[in-house]
Amino acid sequence: MMREYRMLVGGAWVEAASGQRFETFNPYTGEAWATLPRGNADDADAAVQAAYGALKRGPWSKLTAAGRGALLRKLGDLMAENAEALARTEVRDNGKLYGEMGAQLRALPQFAYYYAGLADKIEGAVPPPDRDGFFTYTRREPVGVVVCIVPWNSPLALMASKVMPALAAGCTIVLKPSEFTSASALEFGELFEQAGFPPGVFNVVSGFGKEIGQPLVEHPRVAKIAFTGGEESGRRVNELAARHFKRVTLELGGKSPNIVFDDADIESAVNGAVAGIFAAAGQTCIAGSRLFLQDSIHDRFVERLVEVAGAAILGDPNSEETQIGPIATKPQYDKIIEYIAIAKGEGAFCALGGKASELGGQFIEPTIFTGVSPDMRIASEEVFGPILSVLRFRDEEEVVAMANDTTFGLAAGVWTQNIGRAFRMSASLEAGMVWINTYRAVGIGMPFGGMKHSGIGRENGIEGIEGYLETKSVWLNYDGETGNPFVMKIKG
Ligand code: TXE
């Protein structure tokens, strides 16, 4: 039995205006398991108008910051209560490991609680006026209607890091999940209703990037776009937004360096390198896809790496045993297979994997290429799959130059026991996040985002709410005179 989802617009569960639907697939079985409304510009308009109405009129517009916090706390509780069901949906729709999703969903309510607590601590300022008879202050106001566009690789987590601060700031939202993985976001919409958010504050629509995503970005009533996705779509969104001076937060791709010095704890570094690239089958923006090994440890490190990665268990994402699941979408699977051929064609040496798994379907073996040089495409382009490129280096200076020689700047890992080197490296690497003797550590309080082509702005932490606020300066004249030498004085 195919499940049929609907979209949440203005507090009602609706079909697409066109009446059309599309299928969503289980990447493990390859079978369609649900259908979704195929939204277009008409649905985009309806959702934005609902969000705009809720922003300007009605209970949300009058709610105090503490009131918004209380609703967010309720939402967090509901996320915790529904974690199991949401995790199962994500596994079915996206192929994510159940083990990983369980942990992620236990952490996700913290996004709601963190920003619930922050909602009533966003303060304006009272700068001293530069003239007599004036009182001057600033207000922090919600930026307006926010469109949140998220990709398929981690739908709920990427959505939470946008939606929670935006709501805490007082914005209203239209969420557009990826056409490949919309089910969890649509189920998430039910929790907003149960938590008691007024209709129109949170809307969720489904459909394709060009058909409904783009009209949302271009809609005149939308003030800000919070986007996570690929570099090309991010560029398009940024260009369209710029035309209308819309605010953007962009979380895009990466080709992150993971750097191991010869003084590192080798066993930890091997585990960090394996988790860095093969977690979520490499389908994460922070994947440590370029592994830099210092000359003197190169050979024995690769040997151990191949041993550990080669033992990874591929299989059913619902099984607790499984360490690497299927690739989430067929186009992504095809792209990864193509990059394997490109790497071989460029002369990289395949030390592990290098082919589709014998499990069939959308499984790809964990793959390690050594002898990679910086000029190869496999060393510079984001693959977004379980493919590791190994490069070698002589010393600190050389590896900093190589690591930074990329248009991306999302994350970087450094493995060393030398404290001075750790500090130097953290300052020299051009990346939004640097991990020393760890990889992939993330937490709600720490800003997340990239430099260069990896994005604009930061999510999470106190900084994560800034992008959803505007500052308004208020000048109040209390002495009766205009008080401003440049204002015309007209006496009748
Ligand atoms: O992402 P898209 P795709 C990288 C990864 C992957 C590549 C392509 O390398 O191979 O991107 O993946 C919506 N206006 N990442 O094509 O297109 C789209 O509907 C408005 C890295 O799946 O970026 C979806 O909801 N919206 C990344 C969202 O953008 C548009 C995670 C992301 O889809 C749009 C995923 C448009 N013109 C892929 N075009 C990361 N940073 O983690 C598309 N969309």
Side-chain angles (χ1 to χ4, degrees), residues 39-41 44 48 147 149 176 207-220 222 225 227 232-233 236-237 240-241 243-244 246:
N40 61 22
V48 172
V147 164
I149 298 180
K176 198 212 83 67
F208 292 78
K210 293 214 167 51
E211 293 174 10
I212 189 166
Q214 200 156 311
L216 283 171
V217 171
E218 292 184 285
H219 199 292
V222 170
I225 295 102
F227 175 91
E232 275 323 304
S233 303
R236 181 89 187 114
V237 165
L240 292 171
R243 253 186 243 169
H244 305 279
K246 294 182 184 195

Side-chain angles (χ1 to χ4, degrees), residues 333 337 340 344 350 352-358 363-367:
Y333 171 87
I337 293 291
I340 290 175
K344 288 178 178 169
C350 186
L352 181 71
K355 57 185 189 313
S357 157
E358 58 198 23
F363 283 93
I364 294 179
E365 287 189 7
T367 295

Side-chain angles (χ1 to χ4, degrees), residues 314-337:
L314 281 66
D316 183 349
N318 276 296
S319 158
E320 300 277 355
E321 302 259 280
T322 302
Q323 292 162 321
I324 300 182
I327 302 305
T329 77
K330 181 67 169 61
Q332 189 60 28
Y333 171 87
D334 293 340
K335 175 177 164 181
I336 299 167
I337 293 291

Side-chain angles (χ1 to χ4, degrees), residues 73-107:
R73 261 187 290 280
K74 186 86 212 308
L75 181 68
D77 293 346
L78 287 164
M79 286 163 78
E81 282 165 30
N82 289 276
E84 164 77 20
L86 285 169
R88 290 288 173 202
T89 298
E90 203 84 299
V91 173
R92 180 187 286 181
D93 208 21
N94 159 297
K96 275 188 112 56
L97 303 185
Y98 179 71
E100 189 197 328
M101 276 321 298
Q104 194 182 95
L105 275 153
R106 275 192 298 280

Side-chain angles (χ1 to χ4, degrees), residues 2-7 13-16 18-24 34-39 186 206-208 211:
M2 292 268 255
R3 180 155 176 190
E4 290 190 355
Y5 285 91
R6 289 181 167 204
M7 311 189 288
W13 290 94
V14 299
E15 292 290 341
S18 68
Q20 287 186 29
R21 300 192 137 258
F22 67 103
E23 293 180 326
T24 190
T35 63
L36 311 150
R38 182 166 179 162
L186 293 165
S206 52
F208 292 78
E211 293 174 10

Side-chain angles (χ1 to χ4, degrees), residues 149-153 158 176-180 207-210 212-215 217 227-234 236-237 240 251-254 283-286 329 332 335 382-384 410 454:
I149 298 180
V150 294
W152 42 264
N153 59 322
L158 297 172
K176 198 212 83 67
S178 164
E179 48 272 42
F180 293 107
F208 292 78
K210 293 214 167 51
I212 189 166
Q214 200 156 311
V217 171
F227 175 91
T228 299
E231 188 181 356
E232 275 323 304
S233 303
R236 181 89 187 114
V237 165
L240 292 171
E251 297 291 350
L252 310 176
Q283 302 167 101
T284 63
C285 51
I286 52 178
T329 77
Q332 189 60 28
K335 175 177 164 181
E382 182 180 55
V383 179
F384 220 66
L410 191 55
S454 288

